[in-house]
Amino acid sequence: MADPGKGAGDTKRCTSGEVGIVVTGRSVVLRRRSWSIIFGTAAVGLGTGMFAAVLKVSSMSGFRTGWQGIPAYLLIAGLIGRIVNCKVVMRDGVLTVVNPLRTHTVAKAVIESAAAGDDGGLEVALSGGRSVAVFAYGGSFIDHFRGTSGAAAATINRWLRTGPEPDGASVDVAVSWTRCRPADLSVLGGVLTAGGGALWMALTGG
């Protein structure tokens, strides 16, 4: 396993059971490996099924009805993209928790520890009794057999003990909207398709 306290000039990938660890430069990224496989397969399968459904409905009832499956798929694909995008990033004196809707940027100085809860979900404990839940390692059936959240917590705790000393001048905790361009473009495409389709139907007497 790569040492989170050391940088690397090249991108390296290593694993600890189900935990995927990617080291790029001075960054260490933790994400659940199976999610990319499961949700990627779901997106492709759903897309194939939706395409077939659109063709079938269009052949039976016309495209005025069949097209409605397109924006539905784009919206679902956007949701899947936001889930797959979830991860934990450790870089220098900052830990970033990327959740589906919110991204938490936490200074190393205020992090006390990381641990898996009774439900298998990973949480990062902060000073003052605060905590940040990590969606990427939320409790799941897999955790009971593979210990993914525990392995991720061990990696974070090792990072806390190594590397540069925390900078007390760093921003305590910052919360921002999670940016995920592929997912956002998919949702935007779904909204525009739905709006354009509704307008087309209205103008053509649908």
Side-chain angles (χ1 to χ4, degrees):
M1 182 185 298
D3 185 349
K6 297 180 179 180
D10 301 321
T11 298
K12 299 181 179 179
R13 295 179 183 270
C14 51
T15 62
S16 176
E18 162 66 5
V19 180
I21 302 175
V22 179
V23 181
T24 306
R26 293 180 297 175
S27 298
V28 178
V29 181
L30 304 179
R31 66 170 76 235
R32 196 186 292 275
R33 294 170 57 208
S34 63
W35 280 17
S36 297
I37 299 173
I38 294 174
F39 286 105
T41 302
V44 173
L46 182 62
T48 303
M50 187 66 70
F51 179 73
V54 169
L55 290 179
K56 183 176 181 180
V57 173
S58 297
S59 65
M60 297 175 60
S61 305
F63 187 68
R64 295 180 65 83
T65 301
W67 74 269
Q68 297 175 40
I70 299 175
Y73 168 72
L74 291 174
L75 292 174
I76 295 174
L79 174 62
I80 291 175
R82 282 193 165 272
I83 293 175
V84 174
N85 185 55
C86 291
K87 55 185 175 286
V88 178
V89 181
M90 293 167 283
R91 179 179 174 84
D92 298 330
V94 175
L95 181 140
T96 303
V97 177
V98 180
N99 288 334
L101 298 179
R102 291 286 184 265
T103 294
H104 301 260
T105 303
V106 186
K108 193 174 186 179
V110 300
I111 302 175
E112 295 183 346
S113 65
D118 295 335
D119 62 350
L122 175 63
E123 282 196 353
V124 178
L126 311 180
S127 60
R130 298 168 298 172
S131 65
V132 175
V134 181
F135 189 89
Y137 291 95
S140 72
F141 183 74
I142 297 175
D143 284 306
H144 294 287
F145 296 95
R146 305 298 295 273
T148 55
S149 294
T155 301
I156 294 173
N157 289 328
R158 184 163 52 252
W159 170 74
L160 290 173
R161 298 191 300 267
T162 59
E165 290 297 322
D167 181 5
S170 300
V171 176
D172 189 335
V173 180
V175 182
S176 60
W177 174 256
T178 295
R179 295 182 179 180
C180 181
R181 180 167 296 181
D184 293 342
L185 289 176
S186 182
V187 172
L188 178 61
V191 172
L192 292 177
T193 302
L199 179 61
W200 167 66
M201 292 184 68
L203 294 176
T204 55

